Amino acid sequence: DGDHESYLNHIRSLPLEGSPAMVGLHPNARINYTIDEAEKLYSGLLNMQAGLQQQGQHEQGESEEDSTVITVARDILSRMPPNFDVE
């Protein structure tokens, strides 16, 4: 029981990104989630490429379906943070 401002202060004190432990999950749940999301991403790229191939796109040098997948992959890479130097 508190005033409106005390609730707002409590909400502001919470982390912006929840951890698995906040909802009773093991910390490795985040690892599993990240792996699942990466698999969905790669599956989507492969399905996109296969779908474009089935549409009968021409093949000369770099095919149009490869170009589309490469464009999407470059866009994804441009949004990623820089590599972490472990050395």
Side-chain angles (χ1 to χ4, degrees), residues 82-87:
N83 290 339
F84 182 74
D85 186 8
V86 295
E87 293 181 15

Side-chain angles (χ1 to χ4, degrees), residues 23-52:
V23 292
L25 297 175
H26 190 275
N28 285 347
R30 181 179 303 277
I31 295 170
N32 291 337
Y33 169 78
T34 305
I35 290 170
D36 289 344
E37 287 300 305
E39 287 175 351
K40 288 177 191 174
L41 173 67
Y42 294 130
S43 175
L45 287 172
L46 291 173
N47 287 336
M48 181 189 337
Q49 185 176 29
L52 290 169

Side-chain angles (χ1 to χ4, degrees), residues 4-85:
H4 183 259
E5 192 63 30
S6 68
Y7 286 101
L8 290 177
N9 287 334
H10 176 70
I11 291 170
R12 288 182 188 122
S13 72
L14 297 173
L16 294 177
E17 188 176 312
S19 72
M22 289 178 65
V23 292
L25 297 175
H26 190 275
N28 285 347
R30 181 179 303 277
I31 295 170
N32 291 337
Y33 169 78
T34 305
I35 290 170
D36 289 344
E37 287 300 305
E39 287 175 351
K40 288 177 191 174
L41 173 67
Y42 294 130
S43 175
L45 287 172
L46 291 173
N47 287 336
M48 181 189 337
Q49 185 176 29
L52 290 169
Q53 287 174 346
Q54 288 178 358
Q55 290 176 8
Q57 302 290 341
H58 63 283
E59 290 188 23
Q60 57 185 32
E62 183 183 281
S63 63
E64 202 167 322
E65 61 268 6
D66 287 343
S67 177
T68 302
V69 172
I70 289 169
T71 301
V72 172
R74 284 185 178 146
D75 178 54
I76 292 167
L77 285 172
S78 72
R79 297 173 193 214
M80 295 182 69
N83 290 339
F84 182 74
D85 186 8

